[in-house]
Amino acid sequence: MTDIEIIGHLKSKRYSKAVKGLSAIYPSVKEYILANNGTKEDAEDIFQDALVVLYKNINTPAFALTSSLKTYLQSVSKNLWYNVLRQKNKYPLVNDSTEIPNTAEKTAEADYKLAEMAFELLGKKCRQLLIAFYYKKESLSQIARSLSFSSEQVARNQKYRCLRKAKENYAHLKNGSS
Amino acid sequence: MNNNTILIDRYLQNELPAEERVTFEKQLENDVVLKEEITIQQKIINSIESIAVKQEFSKALRKQWILQQVLKWGLIILIVAAISFIHHHFKNHF
């Protein structure tokens, strides 16, 4: 599968097909993480995070792939792993071309992680509702049916409650971390 | 944190009528707290997409791994079956 075909699958949200092409890259990422104080689980997490970065970037108008997808994902994975090691005060052993993120990037990434944690702290139904609305772009009437809310209005009110709760979680986490 | 969740959501989803939108944007110019609240709400919404995409990848990678295991073990079983068949066949004939 060519890089262009993989990107096409990702843009059309055909994840299974994209992963068929992308999974060949995983062993090299795993090898790097294992050689730098990581575990197999770390490698899986980092690879998934790198795929999310790729997915987000290909959906921006400015995206242009200047190297192969393999090189791109390896580089993103190395940067992500560098950040993890930095938080643990350990640094990569291998002398490579990993770019060290600047302070603004580090802050933005920490904020992004806090927002993810704030969302993960919500109850299952809240997470399902917000994913259905903001990611799957389902209508509130569809959501009311699939998640057994008595009406569209109840689903809407619940959506706001969940968002509010996520914001509260974020504020607590932020205060706790500063 | 103030509670402007509904108003901010309607603003971010482009659901505010033109007049209300202009008023809201004017309010935004002078209200640092409201600006911060919008940023946080936008971050939460962005994180929802990241998490959903990660779940999709995780599912797809797991499916791919299971398929690889099934193929690997299927092949091993096939080879073992073929070897025992040949072994049994030759044992009976010679």
Side-chain angles (χ1 to χ4, degrees), chain A residues 49 56 111 134 159 167, chain B residues 9 37 41 43 50 54:
Chain A
D49 284 344
K56 281 188 168 178
D111 273 1
Y134 291 104
K159 183 190 90 170
K167 283 162 69 181
Chain B
D9 191 55
E37 204 177 337
Q41 199 156 321
K43 276 181 195 164
S50 303
K54 220 183 282 182

Side-chain angles (χ1 to χ4, degrees), chain A residues 126 129-130 133-134 140 143 149 153-165, chain B residues 5 9-10 13 15:
Chain A
C126 261
L129 192 162
L130 295 178
F133 185 81
Y134 291 104
L140 284 164
I143 295 171
F149 291 112
Q153 189 55 43
V154 173
R156 177 175 287 112
N157 293 342
Q158 186 58 33
K159 183 190 90 170
Y160 292 137
R161 265 198 289 273
C162 295
L163 262 183
R164 204 172 298 148
K165 182 71 189 153
Chain B
T5 305
D9 191 55
R10 291 183 66 212
Q13 297 295 313
E15 286 173 1

